[in-house]
Amino acid sequence: MGKKEILEKFSADPERYYKVRLFDEKGFERKSCMTCHRYFWTMDEKRTNCPDHSDDTYSFIGNPPTKKRFDYTQAWKEVESFFVKNGHTSVNRYPVVCRWRDDLYFTIASIVDFQRVMGSKVVFEFPANPLVVPQTCLRFKDLENVGVTGRHFSSFCMIGQHSIPNDHGYWKDQCVDLDYKLVTEQFGVDKNEVVFVEDVWEGGGSFGSSLEFFVKGLELGNAVFTEFQGDLSNYKTLDQKIIDMGAGLERFAWITMGTPTAYDCCFGPITNNLVQQAGIDADCELLVRYFTEIAKNLERFGDLSDVRKTAIKSAGISEEQIKKIITPLEGIYLIVDHVRTLIFAISDGALPSNVGGGYNLRIMLRRIISTLDRLGLKFDMNEIIDTQIDYLKKTYPELEKTRNDVKTIIEIESGRYENSKERMQKIVSKLKQKPTVDDLIRLYESDGVTPDYLKEMKVISEIPSTFYTKLSELHQSKKIEKQEHPPLEGLPETELLYYENDPREFDAKVLKSFDKYVVLNRTSFYARGGGQEPDHGKIAGFDVVDVNKHGNIVVHELKGGVPKESTTVSCVVDSKRRDGITKHHTSTHILNSSSRNVLGSWVWQHSAFKEEDHARLDITHHSALTDEEVTKIEELANAKVKENIPVTIQNFDRGTAEQKYGFRIYQGGIVPVKSVRIVSIADFDIEACGGTHVKSTKDVNLIKITRTKRIQDGVVRLEFVAGDAAREHLKEYEIKISKMSEAQEAKKKLDEERERSKQESRRIIPLILKDFAKKNIGTKIDTIVWADIHLRATESGKFCFAFSSPYDEFFHVTLGKELIKKDPTLVYFGIFVENNLVRVITFAGDKVPESKNAKAIAMETSKILGGSGGGNAHLLKEEVRIYINNLRP
Ligand SMILES: [Zn+2]
Ligand SMILES: [Zn+2]
């Protein structure tokens, strides 16, 4: 079923699908476009073409059709006051990071705010009916258009007008009435200028008719009437019909201002500031001509560079003007657009990275820097951020809170890019031919080389228009893990005792047993979930080794056998294990908020794992943690433990919980149920969580971070222990420390001794050498013994044996060396004790035969003493030192 077929069917019956009260009342006429034959509704008798094919297309540029002028901020105030006046609730925007849907990274439309996925079904939850919302939406598919077309943004404000037709809400007639009045009365556009075009919408198994409304060729909004479910051959009316009118706030501002581009009136003073700083002498008349041509030609060509070429020709622009005006302006538009998107994304907790949604943010920041470099612009990034937030906070006051965090992240990320430039340059210098789109994707995916950098380096002249589309498709959807489906049909949901009085011993009925698995009618065994490991224990005497939840049914895995179906069995939960896991779970919450407090607002739980004796928490953070940060996090966590804050658990309707606490509650991911369990540690940490928790933070006793590690770009792991495990860890740690300090003390003593013996050696060695000269064989000085040594039949040498525990290596090496220099027939043998080792150092002079050289003696010694020896073979005759180790003195 395609859009085309639905449109054909609906347009064949306009009375039923498109004719609304307004058209009758005001005398709108239905016409078919002379060019494309699409149907549209107009009050203008002379109009013969649809807005895409009319002569007046984009004629508002330089000649706005309203008397009033509203910029971005004012335009929202107008829209909001209009809808509120007409019975709507104005709802604050939802985060741009779409944490309530696991198939989207970012919020792409206002309707997404109210969609919740339950199983395979999308359900709608509206906090009010009817409502209006200024929803910031992020879309990355048209990145190459941003800055160039005058109307494409990487993020924009979708005015969401939503209604469910019931006692409070309305349906088509009133919706179109309101949209018409908004445009004509509130904004003051002449009624003949408003054109409604027939269209359809389909997605997610439902579809319906829609009316797009245009003024002077600019599509301002699209009122979608989601009405049916199924496909054209077999469909039924939805139980819950929905009005999904989405309009572009930027366009409402633009139509009243008539500036050359929508960028000129939607970023506040920043665009003008930058144009001035860059010294661009922008002639407005020329820009009006150029951007009107761009707008008109955009739909005509597939490739943006063709659009540009045609516009340049039609507007009669010189090479010089392109270089001096158009190109730098496009750069400035791109920069302000991308910075605005980064402000929203970072404020809502997303980080630039090489994975998931963070990916698009990184590529945008790199585009900003490349564009600045390519155009030789020297802008102050912090100033751009400040000016934008100052402007945006009139509509979105929450951005004030994250102003500094946005700056921090952008600075860190910019620094990383600058550092990687040298490497990128090397890769680029190796490129032999002009890269294809696939090459570009590979270059970015594996080496982080952006096409904007290649453009900056003049490797390519334009970025192929398919690049960002392909790239964003690659990173669009999150992977959803496949689940196994055990044979559980027809079983009722398991009663979960751990959410009630949590008995550690209970009886239950066996509903089903198969292989090594058993399903009970009720259980107090916690099933693996939310990063919390399952309970162990016994069911009917068999060991419980694993517990998992499939839908609402808990399946226990047993070892050694399973009980018979329909029997009643007694069950025991391993309390020690459960208590350990529970302490680690509450500690995860404490550490998560501690980390955010210490590090910054961008910290979110990425994932977590809680076992009996250890746990880990992965958080989103841009860099590896420093020791100081780890200490601070741990200190704050333990301060919260000491405060003895009660841990409270309350169930809320999901919508209520979201409105009351915001989306921070989704630290552990989405909650696919209507009622959410909110675990609060006062207002320090509030999360939606299905895990088990202690009653008060003091029960955790102690939290000790044992290790931290950067596990992927933008994610840091904290390994920690809590409760008894932390105490155990601390005990071991203290023993280690005391051992270390003992060892340190011993080492200090030894060093002192060494120093003393060195001094003593310096005094005594000359005396020994003097004695040696006298050749008093057999004499003993201190612990030095001289002896004759029989070298060969005719020759004899001297043997010196030194046992001098007060002296160390320095003494023996110095003395040995000196002695064999003086008498090459001499063999020196020194023995001393160091730490727990007995060390032997031998030297043999040049003229000592191999059988009696240093190595031979050392080997002989080691045979007797049973130690191990080693030496330096090629220095055998002059100096061989052999240590005999591993000997107890
Ligand atoms: Zn047409
Ligand atoms: Zn939790």
Side-chain angles (χ1 to χ4, degrees):
M1 182 180 72
K3 266 185 76 173
K4 211 174 137 230
E5 286 85 56
I6 307 174
L7 182 58
E8 254 168 42
K9 186 187 161 84
F10 286 0
S11 278
D13 190 357
E15 286 290 325
R16 165 147 189 225
Y17 294 102
Y18 293 108
K19 196 170 189 186
V20 288
R21 192 175 59 209
L22 178 87
F23 296 169
D24 261 343
E25 277 177 13
K26 300 279 173 194
F28 271 80
E29 211 183 314
R30 183 173 186 254
K31 293 181 178 178
S32 171
C33 173
M34 299 272 279
T35 311
C36 69
H37 310 296
R38 281 175 80 188
Y39 290 98
F40 63 91
W41 297 76
T42 178
M43 289 172 76
D44 183 354
E45 287 168 14
K46 283 180 248 128
R47 195 177 290 278
T48 54
N49 276 294
C50 80
D52 283 343
H53 302 107
S54 296
D55 295 338
D56 66 346
T57 293
Y58 285 86
S59 59
F60 69 89
I61 296 181
N63 183 25
T66 60
K67 288 202 177 62
K68 301 169 198 167
R69 306 274 172 266
F70 303 121
D71 73 348
Y72 178 84
T73 305
Q74 294 157 337
W76 169 246
K77 297 282 172 241
E78 292 298 316
V79 172
E80 184 184 37
S81 74
F82 173 80
F83 280 110
V84 169
K85 192 163 70 190
N86 283 286
H88 293 65
T89 304
S90 176
V91 174
N92 290 338
R93 78 169 173 102
Y94 281 46
V96 298
V97 183
C98 191
R99 293 185 198 275
W100 57 96
R101 288 270 297 262
D102 62 4
D103 54 342
L104 288 175
Y105 288 119
F106 296 109
T107 309
I108 52 168
S110 59
I111 191 70
V112 170
D113 293 356
F114 316 110
Q115 291 173 331
R116 299 293 175 273
V117 180
M118 288 175 85
S120 58
K121 249 180 79 184
V122 174
V123 297
F124 290 89
E125 285 176 7
F126 290 91
N129 181 32
L131 65 81
V132 63
V133 58
Q135 183 56 44
T136 310
C137 299
L138 269 52
R139 291 185 186 177
F140 301 108
K141 274 199 161 176
D142 297 321
L143 274 194
E144 81 277 2
N145 285 346
V146 174
V148 180
T149 63
R151 67 172 193 259
H152 282 92
F153 295 84
S154 58
S155 64
F156 64 100
C157 171
M158 185 184 275
I159 303 164
Q161 171 199 1
H162 300 286
S163 162
I164 302 167
N166 59 17
D167 295 350
H168 307 282
Y170 49 80
W171 190 232
K172 290 183 193 180
D173 285 340
Q174 197 175 338
C175 174
V176 179
D177 253 2
L178 286 167
D179 295 338
Y180 173 78
K181 280 186 186 146
L182 173 70
V183 176
T184 53
E185 290 173 14
Q186 195 79 15
F187 280 78
V189 174
D190 184 86
K191 59 190 189 323
N192 279 328
E193 298 287 0
V194 187
V195 180
F196 290 92
V197 176
E198 295 183 2
D199 203 357
V200 294
W201 180 90
E202 63 123 353
S206 50
F207 62 97
S209 58
S210 77
L211 283 166
E212 297 170 331
F213 50 101
F214 290 76
V215 171
K216 297 227 177 251
L218 183 68
E219 183 189 342
L220 290 178
N222 186 12
V224 172
F225 312 109
T226 312
E227 193 173 2
F228 305 109
Q229 194 176 27
D231 59 56
L232 268 189
S233 59
N234 179 27
Y235 62 89
K236 61 178 184 114
T237 306
L238 283 164
D239 305 333
Q240 194 184 33
K241 295 194 281 187
I242 279 159
I243 293 227
D244 171 18
M245 198 295 288
L249 181 65
E250 282 82 359
R251 293 177 174 203
F252 270 81
W254 192 19
I255 200 105
T256 73
M257 300 291 267
T259 46
T261 73
Y263 315 125
D264 300 308
C265 57
C266 291
F267 295 114
I270 192 67
T271 316
N272 249 334
N273 288 358
L274 296 183
V275 168
Q276 273 172 18
Q277 279 181 43
I280 302 168
D281 186 16
D283 161 13
C284 188
E285 202 270 323
L286 174 139
L287 295 179
V288 165
R289 243 171 32 230
Y290 174 75
F291 281 106
T292 308
E293 287 301 327
I294 286 278
K296 279 185 169 173
N297 285 297
L298 197 55
E299 305 298 330
R300 281 181 53 204
F301 299 98
D303 203 304
L304 194 58
S305 58
D306 292 334
V307 177
R308 217 167 162 266
K309 272 180 218 150
T310 312
I312 288 167
K313 216 174 138 198
S314 310
I317 293 182
S318 70
E319 280 297 322
E320 185 71 5
Q321 285 167 321
I322 297 166
K323 215 180 118 200
K324 290 222 160 126
I325 302 170
I326 303 296
T327 305
L329 262 186
E330 287 171 341
I332 286 173
Y333 294 148
L334 179 147
I335 292 163
V336 286
D337 166 90
H338 284 16
V339 171
R340 182 170 78 171
T341 301
L342 287 169
I343 288 172
F344 277 108
I346 296 168
S347 289
D348 289 353
L351 286 177
S353 75
N354 59 12
V355 286
Y359 189 86
N360 292 301
L361 306 182
R362 171 162 290 170
I363 207 160
M364 279 203 293
L365 187 58
R366 297 189 166 195
R367 288 194 88 192
I368 294 172
I369 299 170
S370 286
T371 306
L372 286 171
D373 291 349
R374 177 167 53 88
L375 300 174
L377 298 170
K378 299 235 172 324
F379 295 151
D380 179 347
M381 190 65 91
N382 284 343
E383 192 189 306
I384 300 179
I385 297 167
D386 276 333
T387 318
Q388 290 230 36
I389 291 182
D390 287 344
Y391 184 67
L392 285 167
K393 73 177 184 187
K394 293 177 200 160
T395 314
Y396 305 109
E398 69 277 10
L399 296 176
E400 181 58 53
K401 275 185 269 173
T402 43
R403 185 190 288 262
N404 290 331
D405 288 347
V406 170
K407 289 181 188 170
T408 305
I409 297 299
I410 289 187
E411 196 183 318
I412 290 171
E413 186 64 20
S414 307
R416 281 203 183 127
Y417 182 59
E418 293 296 341
N419 288 338
S420 68
K421 273 189 175 168
E422 204 176 307
R423 196 178 50 81
M424 293 202 308
Q425 215 156 6
K426 266 188 205 146
I427 294 163
V428 169
S429 68
K430 282 186 197 143
L431 286 177
K432 296 216 165 64
Q433 59 208 31
K434 201 181 151 206
T436 63
V437 175
D438 287 334
D439 291 337
L440 291 179
I441 287 182
R442 207 170 38 248
L443 275 167
Y444 185 69
E445 293 273 328
S446 51
D447 300 312
V449 180
T450 60
D452 297 87
Y453 179 74
L454 295 173
K455 194 173 161 188
E456 183 194 331
M457 301 315 282
K458 301 202 164 62
V459 176
I460 53 173
S461 54
E462 287 300 331
I463 298 163
S465 49
T466 47
F467 175 80
Y468 289 111
T469 317
K470 270 198 172 177
L471 198 67
S472 112
E473 274 162 12
L474 275 176
H475 291 268
Q476 180 102 75
S477 52
K478 294 183 193 178
K479 219 170 78 197
I480 298 166
E481 273 176 47
K482 262 202 176 155
Q483 277 194 341
E484 291 170 57
H485 292 288
L488 302 170
E489 296 86 39
L491 291 178
E493 67 180 63
T494 313
E495 189 189 339
L496 303 176
L497 302 174
Y498 50 82
Y499 283 155
E500 292 161 25
N501 52 353
D502 193 19
R504 302 298 164 91
E505 287 180 33
F506 62 97
D507 288 340
K509 214 174 125 194
V510 179
L511 298 183
K512 191 174 177 82
S513 57
F514 56 100
D515 302 334
K516 46 193 177 173
Y517 305 103
V518 63
V519 178
L520 307 172
N521 66 331
R522 52 191 221 137
T523 190
S524 209
F525 284 93
Y526 183 85
R528 174 180 284 111
Q532 176 169 341
E533 285 296 281
D535 282 341
H536 290 170
K538 285 195 189 293
I539 291 177
F542 301 112
D543 284 334
V544 178
V545 293
D546 200 359
V547 188
N548 282 290
K549 227 171 153 189
H550 297 266
N552 289 322
I553 299 164
V554 175
V555 179
H556 309 78
E557 184 184 332
L558 307 187
K559 211 171 89 181
V562 287
K564 280 203 185 72
E565 282 178 13
S566 304
T567 55
T568 297
V569 288
S570 59
C571 314
V572 187
V573 174
D574 177 345
S575 264
K576 187 173 161 282
R577 174 177 167 82
R578 160 72 86 71
D579 291 344
I581 292 174
T582 300
K583 284 177 190 172
H584 281 103
H585 197 147
T586 307
S587 303
T588 309
H589 288 216
I590 298 174
L591 270 181
N592 189 24
S593 277
S594 301
S595 304
R596 184 165 52 251
N597 276 295
V598 170
L599 301 172
S601 65
W602 54 80
V603 170
W604 282 73
Q605 175 178 311
H606 179 264
S607 59
F609 175 85
K610 304 105 182 178
E611 244 295 359
E612 180 182 352
D613 55 354
H614 70 284
R616 57 175 186 259
L617 166 68
D618 297 347
I619 53 167
T620 52
H621 183 58
H622 50 73
S623 308
L625 299 184
T626 64
D627 289 347
E628 200 194 340
E629 286 165 339
V630 175
T631 308
K632 273 191 188 163
I633 294 168
E634 198 178 82
E635 277 171 4
L636 178 56
N638 283 313
K640 292 292 160 187
V641 169
K642 273 210 195 90
E643 266 180 51
N644 203 18
I645 307 167
V647 180
T648 52
I649 295 170
Q650 271 178 293
N651 283 293
F652 287 96
D653 172 68
R654 183 170 46 202
T656 313
E658 287 172 0
Q659 293 296 314
K660 193 170 157 78
Y661 300 115
F663 289 88
R664 280 271 177 222
I665 58 171
Y666 293 135
Q667 293 288 331
I670 51 145
V671 179
V673 287
K674 237 190 127 28
S675 164
V676 293
R677 191 168 173 262
I678 294 291
V679 178
S680 329
I681 303 171
D683 53 8
F684 180 65
D685 184 90
I686 299 165
E687 297 182 30
C689 172
T692 60
H693 288 276
V694 299
K695 294 216 155 40
S696 185
T697 56
K698 215 169 191 170
D699 299 345
V700 163
N701 202 294
L702 182 71
I703 298 172
K704 187 81 207 135
I705 298 170
T706 51
R707 200 163 87 116
T708 69
K709 198 173 147 200
R710 191 162 181 238
I711 55 165
Q712 73 176 54
D713 201 5
V715 181
V716 175
R717 170 164 295 171
L718 282 81
E719 290 176 11
F720 66 95
V721 284
D724 292 342
R727 271 197 301 227
E728 204 52 49
H729 176 88
L730 210 61
K731 224 191 280 167
E732 277 169 27
Y733 182 73
E734 272 162 8
I735 291 169
K736 224 198 267 170
I737 289 286
S738 77
K739 269 189 187 154
M740 260 162 65
S741 63
E742 266 172 34
Q744 263 166 358
E745 195 57 35
K747 193 177 171 291
K748 208 174 129 205
K749 252 188 211 156
L750 200 74
D751 287 345
E752 283 168 9
E753 253 167 48
R754 280 213 182 122
E755 196 42 46
R756 262 203 305 277
S757 91
K758 243 183 210 171
Q759 299 297 336
E760 181 64 6
S761 301
R762 283 193 187 105
R763 188 184 67 80
I764 201 164
I765 287 175
L767 295 179
I768 297 168
L769 291 176
K770 222 160 106 193
D771 188 57
F772 166 75
K774 289 181 200 154
K775 300 201 178 196
N776 284 334
I777 305 303
T779 48
K780 202 176 153 207
I781 303 168
D782 201 358
T783 48
I784 308 248
V785 179
W786 302 107
D788 268 330
I789 176 173
H790 189 72
L791 292 175
R792 292 188 186 90
T794 52
E795 271 181 77
S796 70
K798 204 177 240 185
F799 178 74
C800 175
F801 172 77
F803 174 77
S804 55
S805 66
Y807 309 122
D808 65 358
E809 194 178 348
F810 174 81
F811 171 83
H812 292 286
V813 171
T814 317
L815 181 60
K817 266 189 191 170
E818 284 294 325
L819 288 176
I820 59 166
K821 233 193 312 185
K822 281 189 185 288
D823 180 353
T825 67
L826 180 119
V827 170
Y828 177 81
F829 187 92
I831 183 163
F832 63 101
V833 177
E834 188 182 278
N835 294 340
N836 291 331
L837 299 176
V838 173
R839 288 179 59 184
V840 174
I841 291 179
T842 69
F843 285 95
D846 267 345
K847 295 204 170 130
V848 177
E850 250 174 60
S851 63
K852 295 194 174 64
N853 73 9
K855 193 180 179 188
I857 293 166
M859 274 167 63
E860 200 57 33
T861 318
S862 97
K863 247 188 246 162
I864 299 161
L865 297 177
S868 63
N872 198 337
H874 73 275
L875 290 173
L876 207 58
K877 292 216 163 160
E878 287 175 4
E879 174 189 334
V880 173
R881 281 186 271 158
I882 297 191
Y883 305 132
I884 298 172
N885 294 338
N886 304 330
L887 286 175
R888 295 274 152 192

